[in-house]
């Protein structure tokens, strides 16, 4: 879990810590698949840690890891843990991105990269959710949209598509 959600994985950000986080998330998901039947609380514990990683006060690198990790577990965890705060996260990152446009420092470049990676991870998570709702896989059990085209958390799919 640390490899997925740690703020910094190396002393410099020049290495591809994004790929490392993705690989670690896949490995964690695989471990849960393999050892989950023997340790029934494993999946829930892992998902709890990943959910905590996407909190408002967390660094962007940690949020990225949490989003990628939750997405590995399929549509149901994405629907439960990511969708309720997806719009808020996107809007916060958009404002942060606009604020960094006025400066040209290395810190700003790093921040812009962090924002971009988090936005991509969020879009990927939404894709997992949408594929699951349409019965096209995406891990977990697919869910069906209800009559008014909202997910289980009351988020309108139209609202999501307009926001993203």
């Amino acid at each position: 879990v640390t490899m997925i959600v740690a703020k910094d994985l190396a002393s410099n950000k020049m290495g591809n810590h994004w790929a490392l986080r993705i690989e670690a998330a896949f490995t964690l998901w695989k471990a849960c698949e393999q050892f989950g039947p023997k340790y029934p609380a494993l999946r829930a514990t892992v998902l709890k840690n990943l959910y905590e990683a996407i909190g408002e006060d967390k660094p962007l690198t940690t949020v990225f890891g949490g989003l990628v990790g939750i997405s590995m577990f399929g549509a149901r965890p994405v629907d439960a843990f990511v969708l309720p705060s997806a719009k808020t996260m996107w809007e916060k990152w958009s404002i942060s991105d606009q604020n960094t446009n006025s400066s040209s420092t290395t810190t700003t470049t790093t921040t812009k990269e962090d924002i971009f990676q988090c936005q991509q991870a969020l879009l990927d998570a939404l894709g997992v959710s949408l594929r699951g709702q349409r019965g096209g896989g995406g891990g977990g059990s697919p869910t069906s949209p209800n009559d008014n085209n909202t997910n289980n958390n009351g988020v309108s799919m139209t609202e999501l598509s307009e926001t993203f």
Side-chain angles (χ1 to χ4, degrees):
V1 174
T2 300
M3 295 297 283
I4 300 170
V5 300
K7 179 179 178 182
D8 293 313
L9 294 177
S11 59
N12 70 32
K13 291 225 177 180
M14 299 310 288
N16 193 351
H17 65 94
W18 307 109
L20 179 59
R21 291 171 196 277
I22 294 167
E23 186 65 30
F26 176 76
T27 302
L28 185 61
W29 170 80
K30 196 73 170 157
C32 286
E33 289 294 303
Q34 184 173 351
F35 298 108
K38 188 173 182 179
Y39 302 99
L42 180 62
R43 180 181 166 103
T45 302
V46 167
L47 283 168
K48 177 183 177 285
N49 286 322
L50 294 171
Y51 172 68
E52 290 170 356
I54 64 171
E56 248 183 75
D57 60 333
K58 301 298 183 184
L60 291 172
T61 51
T62 299
V63 173
F64 172 84
L67 289 169
V68 169
I70 292 169
S71 296
M72 292 286 175
F73 286 87
R76 282 187 173 177
V78 169
D79 290 351
F81 301 126
V82 177
L83 287 185
S85 57
K87 184 176 179 183
T88 303
M89 283 190 279
W90 190 273
E91 289 170 348
K92 177 183 170 185
W93 297 332
S94 294
I95 291 168
S96 295
D97 190 36
Q98 291 170 1
N99 292 339
T100 60
N101 284 334
S102 62
S103 177
S104 61
T105 65
T106 304
T107 303
T108 301
T109 303
T110 301
T111 302
K112 288 179 78 72
E113 173 71 10
D114 293 352
I115 291 169
F116 173 79
Q117 292 291 345
C118 285
Q119 287 175 324
Q120 186 61 53
L122 180 57
L123 291 173
D124 291 344
L126 295 175
V128 167
S129 174
L130 291 171
R131 283 189 301 276
Q133 289 184 9
R134 288 184 173 80
S141 299
T143 58
S144 300
N146 59 24
D147 293 338
N148 63 359
N149 201 25
T150 60
N151 68 9
N152 295 337
N153 297 308
V155 177
S156 160
M157 300 316 290
T158 303
E159 180 179 300
L160 283 175
S161 65
E162 290 171 359
T163 302
F164 303 105

